[in-house]
Amino acid sequence: MASNKPNKLAFLSMPAPASYVAGLGRGASGFTTRSDIGPAREGPSAEAIAEAQARRGEDTEVDPEQFQDPDNEYGLFAGTAYEQDDEEADKIYEAVDAAMDARRKARREAQEQAQLAKHRAERPKIQQQFADLKRGLSSVTDEEWESIPEVGNLTKRKRPKYERTYAVSDSILAGDRSRGEYENSLDQMQQQTGGLVTPAEAGPTNFVEIGQARDKILSLKLDQVSGTSTSSGLSTSIDPKGYLTSLNSVVLKSDAEIGDIKRARMLFDSLIKSNPKHAPGWIAAACLEEHAGRMVAARKLIKQGCEQCPKNEDVWLEAARLHNNEDAKVIFANAVQHVDQSVKIWLAAADLEHDVKAKPLEHIPNSVRLWKETVNLETSASDARVLLSRAVEVIPLSVELWLALAQLETLDKAKAVLNKARKAIPTSHEIWIAAGRLLEQEASMMGAEKTEVEKKKALDLVDKTIEAGVRELRRHGVLLTREQWLKEGEKCEMQGSILTSEAIVKATIAMDIEEEDRLDTWVDDAEGALSRNMVGTARAVLAYALKVFPDKKNLWIRAAGLEKAHGTNESLDTILTEAVKHCPQAEVLWLMAAKERWLSGNVQGARDVLATAFDANKESEKIWLAAVKLEAENGHLDVARELLIRARSTADTERIWMKSATFERQQGQLDAALETLSTALKKFPKFAKLYMIQGQIYQSQNNFSAARASFAAGYKACPKEPTLWILASRLEEADGKSIKARALLDKARQVNPSSELIWAEAVGVEERSGGAAQAKAMLARGLQDCPSSGLLWTMSIWLEPRPQRKTRALDALKKSNDNPLIICTVARLFWAERKIEKARQWFQRAVPPRPDDSVDTGADIGDLWGWWLKFERQHGTEEQREEVRVKCVAAEPHHGLVWQAIAKDLKNNGKDTREILEMVADVLQ
């Protein structure tokens, strides 16, 4: 039966297709075998290959060099010169390419960002996928963590492999069995030799004798080394006790150091041979040998140096240093024969020979240093005085010797000495200053029997002496600059001569200054002296400036600030009394004078100051309000109310009306307060605080409709006042109408788009409504409109997760220009991380002292002081807490969300800054 299956090998009998080449598909074009003779057949031609590729539908490969110049393989124009036109054309093409690339750049980058975002969304990182789970680990308790099972094989797929065992041979088992056995019998060989192969001596081994013999040999060796051996008769210079100690002092030098020493030795040897009269070369060569530990060579070299350079004092001093004291005395004896005028050699010799005093002065009588050293060796003041008397006769132009002699003399004789010194040296300003100090000392030592006139006359004599000294110095051509005189005044202050310092300032402060630059220059001088803690000099400069410019209010304020910081209450009261006499129209000076008297406990004196101030400033609202505060704080409420009534009729300002309403409200007279507010609003309809107080009074009475009407009238009349909008919003929240509160704040943001308070209140409304996401979105919008707001950045930092707060705080510091609120927030972050010292430093940075009352810094924000005190309560000592309280009282803060809420609460009326600070620290959280 015939099979219908096709024959798979039928192609073998078929003819080959046209242009078929065997093995062409795998790259073979022809080959030669060992049995072949001659070369293999040629491969197909290029036309045949192209025809076959076209038949199979393949693309033909384009030869990249088919358009090359046959005569030039590097390009058609490679051999031409590259000229300026070609360079210009290349630049034009490059500019066109860059312009085309820039045109498509934004679209290309946007497309790349979109593709990248799509890729990240489709294939997020494992870290991003488990980020929420990692954040959730912060809430895992210790018990839950301990209950997590250990990682193990729970799949049961991989089973533990069984350990392989091997059969142990019998020989190992037999050897291990006989390892712990003991033989109790001798074999035949051991019986013949007596038990051992090598016979031993009779008797046991005596180890005591062996140890004694070892000790005897060691002692003999030590005796030989120390030179006490009687058997050898030899001795050495080795000290066995100090031998190990001397080994510790041996300095081992490396090969590099030894090489450096050899090269330096060659250089110095060449130097002293080429120039043997060069003393520093001999000194350097000797020091090198000393450093190398060759003291003998060093002494030999320095001896040669003394012979070659006998007139150089440094060589003799180096030679004395390299020898011991006895040899140094001989060296100095030779030195004074060659260099008898050298002060250094005589002083060094005197240090060695303590009984030598007058010998150096016989050879060098005009050396000030020798006289001073000789005087210092004297133990008796009378002997020193005699020596100095002789010294000023020999050296009459030495200021130091004259001043030293004047210090040892009595007051009367010291005057005579200084007069002689002034005649001998008329160009010395030190003598005139010493005379002024002497007169000041004499005036301070006056007893009680002297009258005030005599004491004042003696003090005036100091000023006259310094003035005369300045004139005499100018007459003799000595022109010290103003800065040099001020330095001399500061030196006198450091030495305790305050009056002399003031006299120098009075006599020289006006030197070399243009008339229009005097005020600024003197203020700078006073500030510079204060920066160096020279209070007396600064006080003298300001006192002189006030004599020249008695009508400058800022000068009096500076002087008062200086006395308040470094003076007494009496000096401060004196300055302020003089200030109000010369500047009667300056309200701030009257207020400072009254306040300082009040703080010192002189309430009647404060009343007198304010009464005098009324005569000079009848319509000053600040003085009226200060008087009202003084009476109210001291319990005279009727007097305070009467003063307010008089102030409303005399000054009639919006602030006085507001204080009147506030006063009545504090006393519980709400109806009187509302009546006062109604009258004030008719006079001052644009004053926002009147509407605030009226609305708050109605709200305290639970009259929400009237309060709502007051606030509505307020923000219509004063739409730029953020506090009115915030109070209206809080009223709606208190009434349970959060939606209306949001609407009010939206309207407020339209009117005040850059108000951080309104944005912060909007964020707070969202938080209180339970919408954390809405609060974060609102905060992001607020930061767009107020990018430098410290309040909003603070809220943003605390809304971030804990790991991201530091990064957010760094961005906030850069954007807000080191806002005090951000600095305080950073301190709180360090506090949370238990970095106590860093936190304390940042709290100090947040509340820097104010240079002037007109400049507001972080010290004016009470909330920052509250946070700092809260921190010190937890981590500080009582001294540190008291320091915070004292600084806060000195700063007198008035701002801060929590601080204002507590300070303006009616329950806290009459409480001082310290009490409010404690309450703020309790409330903050």
Side-chain angles (χ1 to χ4, degrees):
M1 184 176 176
S3 177
N4 294 327
K5 292 183 179 180
N7 188 7
K8 295 182 179 180
L9 302 177
F11 67 92
L12 295 175
S13 59
M14 295 180 183
S19 68
Y20 170 74
V21 179
L24 183 63
R26 63 178 184 272
S29 60
F31 53 90
T32 304
T33 62
R34 183 174 295 178
S35 60
D36 293 336
I37 299 173
R41 62 182 178 179
E42 296 181 356
S45 63
E47 292 81 3
I49 294 174
E51 184 180 356
Q53 289 178 345
R55 190 183 305 112
R56 289 196 296 268
E58 298 178 357
D59 295 335
T60 59
E61 295 182 359
V62 179
D63 186 8
E65 297 183 357
Q66 62 181 346
F67 301 110
Q68 277 284 357
D69 185 7
D71 298 331
N72 187 359
E73 59 180 346
Y74 293 104
L76 185 60
F77 303 102
T80 60
Y82 189 74
E83 299 178 350
Q84 185 176 2
D85 296 341
D86 301 327
E87 182 180 1
E88 184 178 358
D90 290 342
K91 289 182 179 179
I92 292 173
Y93 281 117
E94 289 175 0
V96 171
D97 292 340
M100 296 297 292
D101 183 68
R103 183 182 302 173
R104 296 187 293 268
K105 183 178 180 181
R107 184 171 54 193
R108 183 176 67 251
E109 290 181 353
Q111 186 176 2
E112 290 176 356
Q113 292 292 336
Q115 292 177 356
L116 180 62
K118 182 178 178 182
H119 177 74
R120 292 279 173 81
E122 293 176 353
R123 297 181 179 180
K125 297 180 181 179
I126 297 179
Q127 181 180 4
Q128 297 176 353
Q129 294 178 3
F130 290 94
D132 54 343
L133 298 177
K134 289 171 68 177
R135 285 195 297 268
L137 289 176
S138 61
S139 61
V140 175
T141 62
D142 294 341
E143 292 77 9
E144 293 174 346
W145 185 266
E146 294 295 335
S147 63
I148 296 176
E150 295 293 336
V151 177
N153 184 15
L154 305 179
T155 59
K156 302 299 183 181
R157 292 182 180 178
K158 293 183 179 181
R159 297 180 179 179
K161 296 181 179 180
Y162 296 103
E163 295 183 359
R164 291 187 177 184
T165 57
Y166 300 92
V168 184
S169 61
D170 296 339
S171 60
I172 296 176
L173 294 175
D176 187 64
R177 181 184 59 190
S178 61
R179 179 182 300 174
E181 295 181 355
Y182 296 95
E183 294 184 0
N184 51 11
S185 62
L186 300 176
D187 58 8
Q188 184 178 2
M189 182 177 179
Q190 290 172 343
Q191 291 177 2
Q192 293 176 359
T193 58
L196 296 173
V197 176
T198 303
E201 297 180 358
T205 303
N206 192 346
F207 292 102
V208 176
E209 293 181 357
I210 294 174
Q212 291 175 353
R214 182 196 62 187
D215 294 340
K216 187 174 182 180
I217 293 172
L218 181 60
S219 63
L220 288 174
K221 289 184 177 180
L222 287 176
D223 291 341
Q224 291 175 0
V225 171
S226 61
T228 59
S229 175
T230 57
S231 62
S232 63
L234 300 175
S235 63
T236 63
S237 60
I238 298 176
D239 181 15
K241 295 182 179 179
Y243 182 66
L244 294 178
T245 306
S246 63
L247 286 178
N248 292 331
S249 63
V250 175
V251 179
L252 299 178
K253 293 182 172 58
S254 63
D255 295 338
E257 289 179 324
I258 294 173
D260 294 340
I261 291 173
K262 289 182 178 179
R263 284 193 293 270
R265 185 180 290 120
M266 293 174 60
L267 289 174
F268 289 140
D269 186 55
S270 175
L271 174 63
I272 59 180
K273 286 181 179 179
S274 61
N275 189 5
K277 298 299 181 181
H278 186 62
W282 292 102
I283 296 173
C287 290
L288 176 67
E289 298 299 339
E290 181 190 10
H291 177 70
R294 301 173 59 187
M295 289 300 297
V296 176
R299 290 168 182 163
K300 184 177 179 182
L301 280 173
I302 204 64
K303 181 181 179 182
Q304 296 176 7
C306 293
E307 294 173 355
Q308 294 291 336
C309 308
K311 298 296 182 182
N312 189 282
E313 61 180 10
D314 294 331
V315 177
W316 293 103
L317 291 172
E318 186 66 18
R321 187 185 68 84
L322 292 175
H323 290 76
N324 54 28
N325 289 341
E326 297 300 326
D327 295 338
K329 292 178 183 179
V330 178
I331 292 172
F332 281 134
N334 295 328
V336 295
Q337 294 178 3
H338 295 87
V339 197
D340 59 344
Q341 298 296 318
S342 174
V343 177
K344 292 182 179 178
I345 289 178
W346 281 109
L347 289 176
D351 289 339
L352 293 177
E353 299 284 352
H354 297 290
D355 56 342
V356 177
K357 292 185 180 179
K359 266 190 178 182
L361 295 175
E362 294 176 359
H363 292 80
I364 317 174
N366 58 350
S367 173
V368 178
R369 185 177 177 187
L370 279 179
W371 282 104
K372 290 170 63 177
E373 293 293 336
T374 306
V375 170
N376 289 334
L377 291 175
E378 296 293 341
T379 57
S380 172
S382 59
D383 295 340
R385 192 181 303 116
V386 172
L387 279 174
L388 285 172
S389 301
R390 177 58 182 164
V392 296
E393 292 177 3
V394 177
I395 315 173
L397 297 181
S398 174
V399 178
E400 295 178 79
L401 296 178
W402 283 108
L403 294 179
L405 179 58
Q407 288 179 354
L408 292 177
E409 296 286 359
T410 59
L411 288 177
D412 295 334
K413 291 183 179 181
K415 289 182 183 179
V417 169
L418 290 177
N419 286 329
K420 291 179 182 180
R422 179 172 53 82
K423 294 176 182 178
I425 316 172
T427 58
S428 173
H429 65 278
E430 292 93 344
I431 295 176
W432 286 101
I433 294 175
R437 294 183 59 195
L438 185 64
L439 292 173
E440 180 182 354
Q441 182 181 358
E442 184 181 10
S444 62
M445 293 174 64
M446 285 185 175
E449 65 276 4
K450 299 291 184 181
T451 62
E452 293 295 331
V453 177
E454 292 176 344
K455 290 182 180 179
K456 188 176 184 303
K457 186 177 179 180
L459 295 176
D460 293 340
L461 192 58
V462 178
D463 297 339
K464 294 178 181 179
T465 302
I466 297 298
E467 290 176 4
V470 174
R471 287 196 304 268
E472 287 296 319
L473 290 172
R474 284 187 178 181
R475 190 167 65 84
H476 288 86
V478 180
L479 299 176
L480 272 71
T481 62
R482 199 173 61 86
E483 288 74 16
Q484 290 174 330
W485 279 113
L486 288 178
K487 287 183 180 179
E488 293 295 333
E490 292 179 0
K491 287 181 183 178
C492 291
E493 183 181 354
M494 292 175 63
Q495 295 168 358
S497 302
I498 304 297
L499 295 178
T500 307
S501 173
E502 293 178 358
I504 293 174
V505 171
K506 292 176 185 177
T508 60
I509 192 65
M511 292 170 52
D512 306 329
I513 304 179
E514 297 293 336
E515 187 174 353
E516 60 272 10
D517 298 334
R518 291 183 298 175
L519 180 60
D520 296 336
T521 305
W522 291 339
V523 170
D524 292 340
D525 291 338
E527 290 180 352
L530 273 179
S531 65
R532 294 184 291 273
N533 203 21
M534 297 296 166
V535 180
T537 305
R539 185 183 286 116
V541 172
L542 288 177
Y544 188 88
L546 287 171
K547 287 183 180 179
V548 181
F549 302 102
D551 57 341
K552 295 295 183 181
K553 178 183 69 174
N554 291 332
L555 266 182
W556 288 107
I557 293 175
R558 286 181 181 275
L562 176 65
E563 295 300 332
K564 185 175 182 180
H566 303 283
T568 60
N569 291 332
E570 291 76 12
S571 62
L572 177 59
D573 187 67
T574 304
I575 284 288
L576 291 174
T577 303
E578 292 295 323
V580 296
K581 287 180 182 178
H582 291 89
C583 303
Q585 304 301 322
E587 299 175 351
V588 63
L589 295 176
W590 289 105
L591 295 175
M592 288 176 66
K595 182 179 179 180
E596 294 303 329
R597 288 195 180 183
W598 180 21
L599 292 177
S600 62
N602 189 2
V603 178
Q604 185 58 41
R607 288 196 185 99
D608 295 340
V609 170
L610 292 176
T612 311
F614 283 135
D615 298 335
N617 305 274
K618 294 183 179 180
E619 296 183 0
S620 173
E621 70 170 19
K622 292 183 179 179
I623 295 176
W624 279 107
L625 294 178
V628 171
K629 183 177 180 180
L630 177 65
E631 300 298 340
E633 292 289 339
N634 288 279
H636 300 88
L637 302 180
D638 295 335
V639 178
R641 186 177 285 109
E642 183 63 28
L643 285 173
L644 284 171
I645 294 172
R646 288 172 55 191
R648 291 201 298 268
S649 60
T650 304
D652 196 19
T653 61
E654 53 193 16
R655 185 172 174 80
I656 289 178
W657 281 95
M658 182 198 71
K659 289 293 183 180
S660 300
T662 305
F663 178 78
E664 298 296 342
R665 182 187 177 190
Q666 290 173 351
Q667 304 307 318
Q669 305 294 329
L670 300 183
D671 295 334
L674 290 173
E675 184 179 354
T676 303
L677 289 170
S678 300
T679 308
L681 284 172
K682 294 177 182 177
K683 290 188 173 186
F684 309 103
K686 296 293 184 180
F687 192 49
K689 290 188 177 181
L690 297 176
Y691 295 102
M692 297 179 197
I693 298 173
Q694 188 182 44
Q696 288 175 340
I697 292 175
Y698 283 131
Q699 186 174 356
S700 65
Q701 296 175 343
N702 293 327
N703 191 352
F704 288 160
S705 59
R708 189 178 292 111
S710 297
F711 290 141
Y715 60 69
K716 287 178 182 177
C718 309
K720 296 295 183 180
E721 182 61 42
T723 310
L724 275 172
W725 294 98
I726 293 172
L727 290 175
S729 171
R730 290 179 181 174
L731 176 67
E732 300 299 339
E733 273 193 287
D735 200 17
K737 300 177 181 178
S738 300
I739 298 176
K740 195 169 182 180
R742 288 195 188 94
L744 276 172
L745 292 176
D746 289 340
K747 190 175 180 181
R749 289 198 302 272
Q750 294 176 1
V751 181
N752 304 283
S754 299
S755 175
E756 63 175 2
L757 294 176
I758 294 177
W759 281 107
E761 185 65 23
V763 174
V765 169
E766 298 298 339
E767 284 184 338
R768 290 189 289 271
S769 300
Q774 291 85 350
K776 205 165 186 178
M778 183 69 69
L779 187 58
R781 290 173 54 195
L783 286 174
Q784 291 178 357
D785 287 345
C786 307
S788 60
S789 170
L791 179 60
L792 295 181
W793 276 110
T794 300
M795 300 175 70
S796 175
I797 291 170
W798 293 113
L799 284 178
E800 293 291 334
R802 184 183 293 272
Q804 301 176 10
R805 287 177 183 172
K806 273 194 175 181
T807 307
R808 195 67 170 170
L810 182 61
D811 296 339
L813 285 172
K814 293 179 180 178
K815 295 289 182 62
S816 64
N817 195 18
D818 293 343
N819 189 282
L821 293 174
I822 305 298
I823 296 176
C824 179
T825 304
V826 174
R828 292 168 58 191
L829 292 177
F830 284 127
W831 180 9
E833 294 177 358
R834 309 289 293 181
K835 297 179 180 179
I836 307 304
E837 290 303 323
K838 274 193 174 183
R840 184 174 287 114
Q841 292 174 4
W842 280 81
F843 275 123
Q844 292 175 354
R845 284 184 56 188
V847 286
R850 286 187 289 178
D852 192 358
D853 290 340
S854 60
V855 180
D856 287 338
T857 61
D860 196 47
I861 304 175
D863 293 0
L864 306 186
W865 293 104
W867 280 115
W868 191 5
L869 180 60
K870 192 178 184 69
F871 166 78
E872 296 296 351
R873 283 180 179 178
Q874 185 173 351
H875 300 287
T877 61
E878 183 58 35
E879 290 78 7
Q880 291 170 332
R881 290 190 285 272
E882 185 62 24
E883 181 183 359
V884 175
R885 297 186 189 103
V886 170
K887 288 183 177 180
C888 179
V889 172
E892 296 182 358
H894 296 92
H895 298 92
L897 299 178
V898 180
W899 182 277
Q900 285 185 331
I902 293 177
K904 294 185 177 181
D905 193 350
L906 295 179
K907 300 176 183 178
N908 304 324
N909 184 28
K911 293 185 177 179
D912 58 2
T913 305
R914 182 183 289 263
E915 295 174 338
I916 294 175
L917 175 63
E918 298 288 347
M919 297 175 67
V920 170
D922 293 337
V923 171
L924 288 174
Q925 59 183 0

